[in-house]
Amino acid sequence: MAKDGGISPREAEVLALLGSHFSNAEIAARLFLSVRTVESHVSSLLRKLDVPDRRALAQRAVVDRPRQEPLPLPAPLTSFVGRAQERAELAELIAVHRQVSAVGPGGVGKTRLVLAVAAEVADRYADGVWFVDLIPVTDPGLLATALAGALGLGEQPGRDLGESVLAALAERQALLVFDNCEHVVDAVALFLERLLAACPRVRVLATSQARLMVPFERVYQVPPLSLAGESDAVALFVERAQAAGWSLESPQHDQVAAICARLDGMALAIELAAARFATLGLDGITAAVSHPLRMLTGGSRADKRHRSVRAVLDWSHALLEPVDQELLHRVSVFVAPFTASAAAEVAGADAGLVADGLARLAEQSLLGVSASPTGTRYRALETIRQYGTERLDQRGELADARARHLRWCLTQAVDLAVAGPGWRARFDAVADDLRASLRWAADEPEQRADAYRLARHVAELTFTRHLLGESQQRYEQASVLADDPAATAAMLRQAAGVAGCRTRGDDTYRLYRAAAAAARRSGDRAGAAVDLATAATVAYRFSSTFAQTPPEEEAIALVGEARELGSGDRAAEAAVALAEAGVLSDAFGAVQGPADNAVPQTLARAERAVELAGRTGDPLAQSAALDALTAAHAWAGDTFACAATAGRRITLLSSTDNRLETPGGIHELIDGLGMAAQTSLGVGNLPGALRSGRQLADHPALAEVGHRATSWLLVADALAGNVEELLGAGTRFLDAWRRAGSPAIAALGPAAAAVAMIHDLRGDQDAEREWQAVWDRLGDSAERTYGYGALFDAMRMLHHGRAEEAMERMAPEPGEVWKWVTWIWLHWYVAIRAEAAVLAGSPLARERLADARTLTAGNPVAGALVERAQSLLDQDHERLLATADVFEAAGCRYQAARTLVLAGGEHAARGAAALAALLDPGETGRGLPPSPVASAV
């Protein structure tokens, strides 16, 4: 059983999702928890199941096991023996120093020692101990990916994984264990400098064959196992022999001690020698190890220890049958655990014979074995793996072995192209080998074609796995490896699509321009025109995602060049038409665009872009053009046409073929859903806004950016009065926004304002202040001052009976601030503005009501607001009460309840109770102030 008691039902749910290889943020979204809570559950599971990392937890997650049952704790494959003094010394060092490096030669036992110490000191760290295996990290640039995987962090669009790791650990009290740093020591050193500076409560325990040379580092030289007295070296040999079913009598211990002394107390050498006890006995082992070790003379003690391990490896290797030697060499090209079938393919041998050979190698401690629900996997210790590749290299066979490994990797990548049950786990099992093989092949001229294919596949797979930064990198790598400039252009376009999903506007712009250059080299003038026009469009359509927007004259020049290159080509002319609408007419309301649109010209250009895109038959081109037309209708003040066009776009994207699964397709869909949610709000279609908002919140591509995923759902819930749902989504928003570093993204302003308003209506001033601070952090803008900000402020004021303040807050005429009001707020703005005038007793009330009635005709919610205000002004009690039913039918429960309060009399108490139930779900009336709206009439 688990050493700290059984696994709770919630931990079992987390464990099951870990088994499906979900990140902490994805688990949090599925279980409606905060990421911090998920982290606590994962840390608890690591402790209870006594495993070092998330990968081991995933292997323990047996899918068919009842969720409520505690999982048994399997016995470790081998026990940890001795080293009491070393454990105490290392534990004391890590208690005092920020970063400790356990340094020593390969085979001395650094990893097992550090893991034992980490387990002993785990209780000192409130946020857990996290193990990062660096053996599979063949590319130093993927160090952050390995650490993020160990911590359960996914990639947040708009932020690289290194930044996400630092943000996640900034306030954590945790111990990180970095194992096997020597082959990426420079990358580790650079990252640790940033980590230790940014995360003051984090400590790092590293293993390496050489010190890391970073500030705060304290080096601990790991000694060999003790040889004197009750030696740890003898204890290890005896324990391993007994574990294999053989007993050693006390008188034999002297002979064992002599063997251990000849092996310099090196743990790996002793393990390998003990594995031969059954076949050689002590006399045979003594004779075998004596000869090679006598030949080793000279050099430092550390060097001798290196060579003592190599000598035993040579000896163990020599005792193998030639077929097993060959198998050990060939499987050494795997960097991650592998199956018998994978070994057979790479070794080029019969599967049955290979399975038998792997078993023999495991019996001799040359391979480790781990069992899981998905099958048995093998893995060589890094020292043995390096020995095997050296042997291949000495015999001139390494390139052939890596070529077979490359072909196996290509087969795995092709098989993974079809997603299905367990896809994430299958990808994660081979991902490190795919990366290692690609790193080798990319530098081998004769493997260039296969390297290109593998880079393309890895780019596609990492995109599906939501490793967007790596996906973009791999597409760019594939573009360099491609022999055909047309293929180069295609890869760069895909990279640009991924950059769009990452909200990296500068990269998207750069990559489309690079694709245009490649297309021109291939003779594809039309393709180059599309790329240039798209680059110009991106600069305006997604201007808020740029660190530095391109100069206006540069974008205009790109449009002109695209127009010249693409004349007569249908796709090119459609792309140019869209660029003209976006750049020349600012259909998208870009950051760098003019304050005033020439509305008729903008509308005409957007309509032409839609017409030409329709002729191409390309749904993504049509979606982009419809986006421009949606915005053009908004600037024209045609809210209904705006919503209808956004709806056309979603219908188109929902019926699209597999292009929707491409980076460009997913980018379009996410943008389209956001637009559909906003425009549905604009016409009072609250069910539609909630539906689109929920689709966004549930989209897997946004799992790591819950603030972006939930932003429009929060606005819709606030306006509908769905407070219980809003509180849950608000927790996810805040959690994700803070994990992302509290970015000042103006587009999140409506969500923060809406939630702050709801907490104000609830009377929860602490929560209101918290959300107000978030809103303030998002920055000031004209839209905040005149658009949604005025709307939500006025709604608060009206709720609290401050109608004159609300009227003053909405003093500007819509036409005076048209761009910030006509977007999606126009109907709400004029309706609430008219209501404020009525409740304030303003002489402008009838004029404002008349204007609002004309504008909001057809909008169920805004129309009902106007009708209610008119009834109040006319003192038509029956008409007033009828609007409550209209609000209910429109899904606007808050305004339905508020109508009863405004009606007064016997209805007021019923309305106040309904408001209390809405605003404080589960604790009706707790702390809610009485609603003063009735007295304002």
Side-chain angles (χ1 to χ4, degrees), residues 797-820:
M797 294 166 183
L798 290 175
H799 180 88
H800 293 299
R802 306 199 309 268
E804 290 184 359
E805 291 180 48
M807 187 175 172
E808 182 178 349
R809 181 69 177 88
M810 305 188 87
E813 294 287 339
E816 295 175 12
V817 290
W818 71 275
K819 199 164 188 177
W820 312 115

Side-chain angles (χ1 to χ4, degrees), residues 261-277:
R262 290 184 180 278
L263 298 177
D264 288 309
M266 297 294 283
L268 175 58
I270 292 169
E271 297 251 11
L272 293 173
R276 290 288 180 177
F277 176 73

Side-chain angles (χ1 to χ4, degrees), residues 532-554:
L532 290 171
T534 303
T537 299
V538 163
Y540 278 67
R541 186 182 178 198
F542 301 112
S543 60
S544 63
T545 67
F546 279 71
Q548 184 173 359
T549 53
E552 180 183 10
E553 58 274 14
E554 183 174 290

Side-chain angles (χ1 to χ4, degrees), residues 311-333:
V312 174
L313 283 171
D314 285 337
W315 164 66
S316 296
H317 179 267
L319 292 174
L320 296 173
E321 294 294 328
V323 65
D324 289 344
Q325 291 178 349
E326 190 68 23
L327 180 59
L328 179 64
H329 302 164
R330 292 186 176 184
V331 299
S332 67
V333 297

